[in-house]
Amino acid sequence: MNILTFGPNGSGKGTQGAIIKEKYGIDHIESGAIFREHIKGGTDLGKKAKEYIDRGDLVPDEITIPMVLETLDKSKEKGWLLDGFPRSLAQAEALDKALKEADMKLDCVVEIVLDREIAKERIMGRRLCANDNNHPNHIAFEAIKPVEKDGKLVCRVCGGELSTRADDQDEDAINKRHNIYYDDNTGTMAAVNYFKNLDGIPVISVDGSLPIKEVSESIIKDLP
Ligand SMILES: [Zn+2]
């Protein structure tokens, strides 16, 4: 089975991908891993891509698309779940065309739907316990919410002090990624709509605000 997955940062897309991969024994291919693999392997495409990345430029689709196809082709026997690509309408059109030319069938598209504000809250809501890394605290999830002590939020397990990770609090970076994702003109939402308007490829849209287990159950129930 070959699957495309969509979902904004903070939607739990990576977690769901891992669950689907496990269930169906297919390869979970993340777009970042495709670049790393080609660059590490020193392939021609990898060398070209590296030039752009080193300059801080976006790698053009003429390089990205063949790279993605080559990687998918290696998982032809097992099937694949592609995560993080396409990110734009142009990439969606190019990927669709390239898959057809390569005689590779896309069986299903999975979209995790999540409100932008909630997605942001999920990224920014994680709290780290000063006493133990294995004490999960998150202000957006009822089950692991920190508790209040003397007017301050503390670790719900041990009462320890809480802090945040700098990456999780980089609002500019989060907004930048979400601007691309939620753009339904030329961005990722436009790519999702492109596949929704195609004939013959089922698109499963699930409510990403539900607990992880409910999201994966509703995806698995609808997969062909
Ligand atoms: Zn703790």
Side-chain angles (χ1 to χ4, degrees):
M1 180 149 53
N2 300 329
I3 309 171
L4 267 188
T5 54
F6 290 102
N9 268 86
S11 68
K13 176 168 56 85
T15 307
Q16 295 302 334
I19 294 170
I20 298 169
K21 167 202 157 103
E22 200 59 44
K23 167 103 181 152
Y24 293 92
I26 56 182
D27 287 329
H28 184 188
I29 299 168
E30 285 167 290
S31 57
I34 297 175
F35 285 112
R36 285 194 297 275
E37 186 198 317
H38 278 266
I39 291 169
K40 207 174 138 216
T43 66
D44 285 346
L45 289 165
K47 280 178 199 154
K48 281 185 204 157
K50 193 171 181 298
E51 287 174 23
Y52 286 90
I53 293 169
D54 286 347
R55 287 201 302 263
D57 290 336
L58 273 179
V59 182
D61 292 347
E62 308 90 85
I63 297 173
T64 308
I65 297 276
M67 255 193 205
V68 171
L69 275 190
E70 247 179 55
T71 305
L72 296 181
D73 196 57
K74 284 190 196 143
S75 299
K76 209 162 54 181
E77 304 293 323
K78 283 171 82 177
W80 44 259
L81 179 141
L82 180 58
D83 178 346
F85 190 91
R87 278 176 209 245
S88 68
L89 176 60
Q91 288 180 345
E93 289 169 343
L95 180 69
D96 178 39
K97 187 166 164 264
L99 285 174
K100 280 175 184 147
E101 280 168 8
D103 218 11
M104 241 187 281
K105 187 172 173 269
L106 181 60
D107 295 292
C108 182
V109 175
V110 173
E111 177 199 16
I112 302 177
V113 181
L114 193 62
D115 177 79
R116 182 167 178 161
E117 278 310 308
I118 299 175
K120 190 167 166 181
E121 202 177 80
R122 282 198 174 173
I123 299 168
M124 300 186 78
R126 177 159 51 158
R127 296 293 178 271
L128 308 173
C129 169
N131 298 328
D132 192 328
N133 275 334
N134 294 314
H135 289 173
N137 286 268
H138 200 297
I139 58 171
F141 293 100
E142 209 48 58
I144 53 170
K145 240 183 196 156
V147 292
E148 211 180 301
K149 195 181 143 197
D150 304 330
K152 225 173 79 180
L153 289 177
V154 295
C155 173
R156 53 177 242 292
V157 182
C158 70
E161 257 187 64
L162 294 176
S163 63
T164 55
R165 245 180 48 161
D167 276 3
D168 294 344
Q169 305 305 312
D170 188 344
E171 227 177 318
D172 285 344
I174 295 167
N175 286 337
K176 217 169 148 187
R177 284 199 294 265
H178 280 168
N179 283 343
I180 297 170
Y181 188 84
Y182 288 98
D183 173 0
D184 58 7
N185 263 319
T186 57
T188 313
M189 277 311 301
V192 177
N193 291 333
Y194 172 81
F195 286 104
K196 280 185 180 167
N197 291 327
L198 278 184
D199 260 350
I201 299 175
V203 178
I204 302 173
S205 296
V206 292
D207 177 358
S209 70
L210 297 170
I212 291 173
K213 197 162 169 280
E214 284 179 43
V215 175
S216 53
E217 280 169 359
S218 76
I219 295 172
I220 286 164
K221 170 174 71 67
D222 286 334
L223 277 177

